[in-house]
Amino acid sequence: MSLTMALTIGILFGAGTYLVLERTLTRIALGLGLWSYGANLLIVISGGRAGAPPILDPDAPATHFADPLPQAMVLTSIVITFGITAFLLALAYRSMTLTGDDMAEDDIEDRRIAGLWQAEREEEAAEETEEETGEVGGEEWEGGER
Amino acid sequence: MTTLLAAYLAATVLVPLIARRLGREIFLAAATLPAVTLAWAFARAPEILAGSTAAETIDWVPELGLEIALRVDAFSLLMTILVAGMGTLIFLYSRWYFDDGPDLGRLAGPLIAFAGAMFGIVIADNLLALYVFWELTSITSYLLIGFDDRSAEARAAALRALLVTVAGGLAMLAGFILIGESAGTYSLTGVLANPPTGMSVEIGLLLVLFGAFTKSAQAPFHFWLPGAMAAPTPISAYLHSATMVKAGIYLIARLAPVFATLHFWRPLLVGVGLATMLIGGWNALRQRDLKLLLAHGTTSQLGLMTALFGTGIAAATLAGSILIVAHAAFKGALFMVVGIIDHQAGTRDIDRLDGLYRKLPGTFIATVLAVASMAGLPPLLGFIAKEAALEGFLEMIGIGWGRIALAVLVIGSALTFAYSLRFLWGAFAPKRADELVADFTGSETMRPEVGFLAPAAVLALLSLAFGIMPGTVNALVVGSARALVPGPTPRRLALWHGLTPALLLSVAAILGGLLLWQLRREVARFQERRRFAWDAEMVYDQTVETVLRFANVVTGRLQTGSLPMYLAVILGTVVAIPGSTMIRRLDWWPVILLIDRPTQGVIALFMALAAILTVLTRRRMSAVVATSVVGYGVAFLFVVQGAPDLALTQLLFETLLLVLFVLILRHLPISFPGRGGRWWRIVRGGLAAAVGSFITLAALYAGSARGTAPPVSVEYLRRAIPEGEGRNVVNLILVDFRAFDTFGEIVVLTAAALGIMGLVRAARRGRGEMGESRTMLTFRPSTILDAAARIVFHTVLLYSIILLTVGHDHPGGGFIGGLVAGAAFILIYLAGGTPWMRRVEPAPPELLLGTGLTLAAVVGATGWLRGSDFLEATSSTLLIPGVGTIDFRSVFLFDLGVYLVVLGLVIALLGSAGQEEVRQP
């Protein structure tokens, strides 16, 4: 593996990571695309040095050819990546028609679970203040908070 | 034995099914199975008591040392008689206890399952099989305690019992594994014959004891048992007094004779047992509910059994065996009596029951016998058990703590005597002349039917009969003790041994009990004042609450619902854990080659710049174009690497993707929305840099691994021409060597295509409803493009078919051919929009996808018809008259299927992402 190739793959992954950590589905799709380029290159290049295309010539020795196995794996990978990217784009399109943009919103169920804990903490804080001051009535708190 | 176990399994399934039809008679039907088990036990008893054992083994998972090994010696026989005998009586009793109802199947099913599982525990000889039966009893116990599912209290009690016993069960499993691995066998007899030693065995034993303590309600885990009284009374009598809670005792009895010499064993077991005995007795004294009184009494008796068996010495083990029998008889009878009182008088509250002895004379007599046995009065079996226990502890008087233990035992016996009196008084005595109370239990209290009372009466009479004629149980209990502790036999059971120290202590205990009873008002007042500030139950409740709160906090913090946050956590973990390991092991610094071929450097430079541009640009279209540049760069790198098939595929897909992006982006805003907070951009940047560096290192690392073993593909290269009859090895791998993977892949492609079509259709429908204006791509007819498309279209299609057919020997194949054909349609679409494309498309995309997939599947399935594997390639020579012969290979048809699926995908995408069809009304 040459240093140039390793660095290129690293840059592709880095750029992809930055994009994937976005909320815009388009950028996430592009980030995934960069990741898959990097991964495909990594697999093919891990298959050894460059060689002749694996179109067999019975006279040549096996070492003459590039390793065909990573190539077959990556061919599959390209096709699948394409299917996934297209699907993501369709999702972005659907999201667009529903919400007006293609942002990945927070999961509502997850936020509710997180809220459960928040609510409990607030309740406790309310109780503590109540105990400390002894004057702030529970009703007032409940009325104010809910 | 296995037949019996199988019968229990079958009955568990069958009983709920027929319960509805039989009503409460189901209990009579179900009683036959424990009765048969009992008969079996009696039939085998003579030979087993003579010293032989019955054993059977069925392999289950031999790789894990898991087998259903069954073995019955005298102690197992005793337990079996207990489980089956009590089971029979309980089923008979249930017939009268329960009223007809639709839910009885839900009760009878778990009950018979429990009887089977309990039978399994006492005859299992494999530790893991024992564990399985053990947990089965925990689960059935849970179902039975929570039978009244509309009562929150019953549900809570059931859950508590389950959590405590299953926590113990899990610890026990860990213990069994530690012991089994050290001993090299999971056979109980094997472990006991050659006991393993060492640290891990001691830890394993402690874990097993933890399990036994939770199951047998030993302090400090005793609190679940009184709660379990929420179950119907027959359940309490059977599971939570006579059998299940003795599972822990059973295990202790098995292990103690071998392991009692360990330094921690006797102090722990005798200490915990006697402490439980005192706590249980003390708590029983203050109960107002008769059933709770019995429950605490049970805890107390279980404590005594733990202490007796825990010593591992012959005399105490004999006492324990007698106590098991005596306890089952008197406690079973008393629980049944409580059930009768509850059923007939409508309450179990001591304060509300008044003068019942006149109303229920038969029940009263049975109760007197059973209570006398519980209190340890002659001539009942309970007396013999207590005498034996005292003798057992007298033998240990030499040991340092022996005297204390003996004293505690006497105090415990006094407590037992006192709460026995309290039970009798509470249930039957005339307490107040108060008319109101008398009226309440008065006129409606009816005598129980004969069948209802009979099981309790039988048990009470057995307590008496065994006491008067100890010879009847002598063989059984002495045999059990001998099976547990080999060696000289303790002497025969008898009521009268002469004026022994044990007798004197027994008298002392009775006097103490009478004293406690005499001072009951003072004791009650003392108990009122001395409530402990906390008890085990509160510790349990707080533990559960803390766990739940902790889970809430952790979930609340981590599961925020934000997709970027989740990804950041995952990526951070990837970098932190494998990354740090990789850096720590960085002794390899591979011989780094700067560059392979100079062209790579140029292409790589362009790609890097384009990738960075993708990140920096704020405009969607520039980002897409920049990404495409990267993609084309990858294609060129494939060419340099020697992968023409890949390069072709990559180029075609890149083009298609670009068109697709452009079509979709029409609907989206031109620029990306805001960049997000500053700190978040820094975090992302840092993470991106970390991931990039990690991958670079990993790539170098992976590259250096090449050459440690011969590559798999050497074999592919060798077999390509003789077996695959082709020269393009990549294509051969796809359609022949690894064709099943490819089949899976086209399934995924089809699914994605259908999903996209569905999503887009839904989106369009939504728009129509919202009444927004339709985005129409207005075509400015371009004459040149139009003419070019007309000329090129058929040529490109033909070329795609050539690519498909030559794929076996040259770059090409189904994927590439399908994409090229798709490219032809893209051209038509760009020139004439959807209407033109609809005119030239050979079939709707769904049909293409379906045909392709079906073709591939059928070709694969012909492999089966020929008797070989799915997708096994064949070749045949077709003779076409007038043309000649054609070599024909099945993989070609498979590749054609791939071709059709890919073409279908492309057309589906164009139809979905492209211009909307204007439907004519």
Side-chain angles (χ1 to χ4, degrees):
Chain A
M1 169 86 53
S2 68
L3 186 62
T4 318
M5 284 294 97
L7 275 176
T8 313
I9 293 166
I11 290 172
L12 292 183
F13 266 95
T17 304
Y18 192 86
L19 289 174
V20 162
L21 292 176
E22 272 268 3
R23 277 183 186 277
T24 326
L25 277 178
T26 316
R27 292 195 109 191
I28 294 177
L30 292 177
L32 278 177
L34 289 184
W35 268 1
S36 62
Y37 293 149
N40 290 345
L41 265 185
L42 178 58
I43 294 173
V44 167
I45 290 177
S46 306
R49 311 264 314 248
I55 309 293
L56 282 191
D57 179 356
D59 302 330
T63 49
H64 174 69
F65 303 105
D67 194 333
L69 186 62
Q71 294 190 17
M73 281 156 65
V74 167
L75 205 150
T76 324
S77 154
I78 295 172
V79 179
I80 291 282
T81 310
F82 175 77
I84 289 173
T85 314
F87 193 78
L88 252 177
L89 285 176
L91 276 178
Y93 179 62
R94 176 85 179 115
S95 162
M96 179 73 200
T97 56
L98 286 179
T99 63
D101 59 30
D102 64 337
M103 305 286 277
E105 296 299 332
D106 281 356
D107 190 291
I108 298 168
E109 188 64 29
D110 286 0
R111 289 236 58 103
R112 264 188 44 213
I113 292 170
L116 213 67
W117 165 66
Q118 289 287 356
E120 202 170 276
R121 217 173 48 160
E122 275 164 26
E123 233 165 70
E124 266 168 34
E127 273 170 29
E128 269 169 34
T129 357
E130 227 171 279
E131 279 166 21
E132 278 167 19
T133 59
E135 283 188 19
V136 183
E139 293 163 25
E140 205 175 303
W141 268 95
E142 275 175 22
E145 287 292 310
R146 276 156 214 173
Chain B
M1 286 180 271
T2 42
T3 325
L4 277 171
L5 282 178
Y8 277 105
L9 190 63
T12 307
V13 179
L14 197 64
V15 161
L17 291 181
I18 56 172
R20 198 171 286 264
R21 188 168 309 162
L22 288 184
R24 58 183 185 166
E25 308 300 336
I26 187 68
F27 290 109
L28 288 185
T32 47
L33 194 48
V36 168
T37 314
L38 190 63
W40 173 85
F42 280 132
R44 302 301 293 270
E47 43 173 322
I48 290 171
L49 290 179
S52 74
T53 56
E56 278 173 31
T57 303
I58 308 171
D59 270 347
W60 187 2
V61 188
E63 294 82 5
L64 294 176
L66 200 55
E67 52 183 20
I68 306 182
L70 306 174
R71 182 174 176 278
V72 176
D73 62 3
F75 186 50
S76 291
L77 184 74
L78 181 143
M79 294 299 289
T80 304
I81 291 174
L82 192 74
V83 170
M86 279 302 289
T88 313
L89 290 175
I90 288 291
F91 273 107
L92 293 177
Y93 177 79
S94 300
R95 151 70 179 78
W96 278 275
Y97 180 85
F98 291 104
D99 297 323
D100 274 331
D103 287 345
L104 288 183
R106 208 154 53 74
L107 192 82
L111 195 55
I112 197 82
F114 168 80
M118 196 64 215
F119 179 47
I121 289 184
V122 299
I123 62 173
D125 190 42
N126 180 289
L127 291 175
L128 299 176
L130 192 151
Y131 167 77
V132 171
F133 289 125
W134 182 284
E135 294 294 45
L136 273 178
T137 63
S138 290
I139 293 165
T140 45
S141 160
Y142 167 75
L143 292 173
L144 291 168
I145 297 173
F147 172 66
D148 183 5
D149 53 6
R150 269 160 298 187
S151 150
E153 193 195 341
R155 290 198 308 265
L159 187 61
R160 176 177 306 173
L162 182 74
L163 284 181
V164 173
T165 49
V166 168
L170 275 181
M172 197 180 79
L173 176 62
F176 280 163
I177 291 172
L178 281 175
I179 295 171
E181 290 301 318
S182 306
T185 172
Y186 281 95
S187 154
L188 187 55
T189 36
V191 169
L192 294 176
N194 294 303
T197 53
M199 187 67 160
S200 68
V201 177
E202 290 182 15
I203 294 172
L205 283 170
L206 284 172
L207 289 171
V208 170
L209 286 180
F210 174 65
F213 287 167
T214 56
K215 194 79 165 180
S216 289
Q218 296 298 297
F221 311 112
H222 58 284
F223 57 88
W224 70 263
L225 188 55
M229 293 301 126
T233 300
I235 309 299
S236 307
Y238 192 34
L239 273 70
H240 306 121
S241 164
T243 55
M244 187 184 89
V245 288
K246 288 187 181 132
I249 308 289
Y250 170 81
L251 203 56
I252 290 171
R254 284 273 177 219
L255 298 175
V258 174
F259 294 106
T261 46
L262 289 173
H263 60 99
F264 62 80
W265 186 276
R266 279 186 184 134
L268 179 69
L269 282 150
V270 176
V272 166
L274 289 179
T276 310
M277 187 186 187
L278 286 186
I279 294 173
W282 182 249
N283 283 333
L285 266 185
R286 69 153 183 254
Q287 299 305 321
R288 303 192 168 279
D289 182 338
L290 288 175
K291 205 170 160 190
L292 284 181
L293 192 157
L294 290 183
H296 286 284
T298 306
T299 315
S300 172
Q301 298 277 347
L302 290 171
L304 177 55
M305 288 178 213
T306 302
L308 287 171
F309 282 118
T311 61
I313 62 171
T317 303
L318 175 66
S321 303
I322 306 169
L323 187 58
I324 283 187
V325 177
H327 178 256
F330 67 67
K331 201 52 80 59
L334 291 179
F335 265 110
M336 290 177 183
V337 163
V338 170
I340 292 172
I341 291 175
D342 200 5
H343 196 267
Q344 307 300 119
T347 181
R348 321 188 287 251
D349 191 333
I350 287 182
D351 292 337
R352 297 172 74 182
L353 293 167
D354 187 45
L356 225 52
Y357 72 99
R358 264 174 300 168
K359 310 239 166 60
L360 306 172
T363 316
F364 177 62
I365 293 167
T367 310
V368 169
L369 288 176
V371 162
S373 182
M374 178 156 83
L377 288 176
L380 292 124
L381 189 59
F383 171 75
I384 299 179
K386 191 174 62 179
E387 291 277 278
L390 287 166
E391 273 174 32
F393 275 82
L394 278 168
E395 275 196 18
M396 291 193 301
I397 205 145
I399 313 175
W401 41 264
R403 285 166 200 277
I404 305 171
L406 191 63
V408 172
L409 177 60
V410 174
I411 297 171
S413 303
L415 283 170
T416 307
F417 189 86
Y419 73 69
S420 301
L421 269 181
R422 180 177 171 84
F423 179 87
L424 190 65
W425 168 82
F428 291 99
K431 275 159 261 181
R432 285 179 261 170
D434 196 331
E435 284 298 313
L436 209 74
V437 179
D439 260 3
F440 182 80
T441 55
S443 46
E444 311 94 273
T445 307
M446 311 248 289
R447 291 194 187 178
E449 289 171 69
V450 176
F452 198 14
L453 179 58
V458 166
L459 288 174
L461 288 173
L462 282 179
S463 298
L464 180 64
F466 289 154
I468 296 172
M469 300 173 290
T472 43
V473 282
N474 190 63
L476 192 58
V477 291
V478 171
S480 318
R482 207 185 303 168
L484 291 170
V485 189
T489 323
R491 61 202 160 80
R492 294 181 61 82
L493 306 190
L495 275 174
W496 179 251
H497 292 303
L499 207 59
T500 56
L503 183 67
L504 293 177
L505 288 172
S506 193
V507 170
I510 290 171
L511 289 177
L514 278 173
L515 187 69
L516 271 173
W517 175 245
Q518 214 48 48
L519 300 173
R520 60 181 180 275
R521 285 176 214 292
E522 286 75 11
V523 170
R525 230 174 291 139
F526 180 73
Q527 285 190 330
E528 270 312 305
R529 261 183 292 136
R530 289 285 162 135
R531 279 283 171 84
F532 290 109
W534 58 271
D535 57 18
E537 193 170 349
M538 284 161 68
V539 172
Y540 164 85
D541 286 342
Q542 281 187 351
T543 312
V544 170
E545 197 185 321
T546 313
V547 167
L548 287 179
R549 180 170 304 195
F550 178 71
N552 252 348
V553 169
V554 170
T555 316
R557 283 261 164 88
L558 292 184
Q559 197 170 325
T560 55
S562 154
L563 179 65
M565 185 58 83
Y566 293 166
L567 284 172
V569 169
I570 294 171
L571 290 171
T573 314
V574 168
V575 172
I577 294 172
S580 61
T581 314
M582 200 165 65
I583 290 174
R584 258 191 293 117
R585 302 257 176 94
L586 216 57
D587 50 354
W588 41 275
W589 277 117
V591 190
I592 291 179
L593 183 71
L594 189 62
I595 198 159
D596 222 7
R597 295 188 180 179
T599 32
Q600 282 181 339
V602 182
I603 301 167
L605 188 66
F606 272 103
M607 285 169 63
L609 289 177
I612 292 166
L613 185 67
T614 313
V615 173
L616 293 183
T617 180
R618 303 302 311 160
R619 297 170 72 87
R620 281 177 207 268
M621 199 55 84
S622 343
V624 168
V625 171
T627 315
S628 279
V629 170
V630 178
Y632 287 120
V634 171
F636 286 121
L637 281 181
F638 286 154
V639 173
V640 175
Q641 185 71 17
D645 279 289
L646 283 191
L648 273 173
T649 316
Q650 176 77 29
L651 276 175
L652 289 163
F653 267 119
E654 209 47 59
T655 310
L656 185 55
L657 199 60
L658 188 59
V659 172
L660 197 65
F661 258 107
V662 172
L663 291 176
I664 292 279
L665 287 189
R666 291 182 294 143
H667 303 286
L668 294 169
I670 291 174
S671 295
F672 292 117
R675 291 157 176 265
R678 182 186 166 77
W679 70 270
W680 177 231
R681 265 187 291 151
I682 294 172
V683 169
R684 275 162 63 199
L687 200 53
V691 170
S693 322
F694 168 72
I695 293 287
T696 306
L697 272 181
L700 290 172
Y701 197 95
S704 71
R706 183 97 186 162
T708 49
V712 181
S713 49
V714 170
E715 186 70 1
Y716 287 141
L717 289 170
R718 194 180 60 71
R719 281 161 50 174
I721 292 180
E723 288 181 33
E725 297 175 26
R727 287 171 47 217
N728 183 353
V729 186
V730 175
N731 183 265
L732 280 178
I733 293 175
L734 285 175
V735 300
D736 193 347
F737 296 146
R738 309 281 317 163
F740 198 62
D741 296 351
T742 312
F743 184 69
E745 193 187 352
I746 58 176
V747 172
V748 173
L749 281 186
T750 310
L754 294 178
I756 291 163
M757 287 160 76
L759 276 170
V760 171
R761 268 177 207 162
R764 287 190 178 151
R765 234 191 344 267
R767 257 161 185 254
E769 280 163 13
M770 283 189 286
E772 282 179 25
S773 66
R774 296 177 173 211
T775 320
M776 295 281 287
L777 194 66
T778 44
F779 281 98
R780 248 183 257 121
S782 153
T783 322
I784 297 172
L785 187 57
D786 190 287
R790 279 174 202 284
I791 297 167
V792 172
F793 177 66
H794 294 100
T795 320
V796 175
L797 269 189
L798 191 65
Y799 178 57
S800 79
I801 293 170
I802 293 173
L803 279 175
L804 167 70
T805 48
V806 303
H808 222 55
D809 290 321
H810 304 280
F815 282 114
I816 295 169
L819 281 172
V820 169
F825 284 92
I826 293 176
L827 199 59
I828 289 291
Y829 173 80
L830 290 178
T834 314
W836 194 7
M837 198 186 72
R838 287 280 176 254
R839 276 204 307 281
V840 296
E841 73 180 16
E846 295 94 329
L847 191 62
L848 287 174
L849 291 165
T851 314
L853 205 54
T854 314
L855 186 62
V858 168
V859 170
T862 53
W864 283 331
L865 291 182
R866 292 190 310 271
S868 53
D869 290 333
F870 189 64
L871 289 171
E872 180 78 53
T874 50
S875 62
S876 48
T877 308
L878 288 184
L879 180 72
I880 301 177
V883 180
T885 58
I886 296 179
D887 276 340
F888 186 76
R889 292 180 43 78
S890 66
V891 291
F892 173 74
L893 285 179
F894 183 76
D895 225 8
L896 181 61
V898 174
Y899 175 93
L900 290 176
V901 168
V902 174
L903 180 60
L905 172 70
V906 175
I907 291 179
L909 289 176
L910 287 175
S912 300
Q915 183 203 16
E916 292 163 35
E917 287 173 74
V918 184
R919 293 206 180 82
Q920 300 298 327

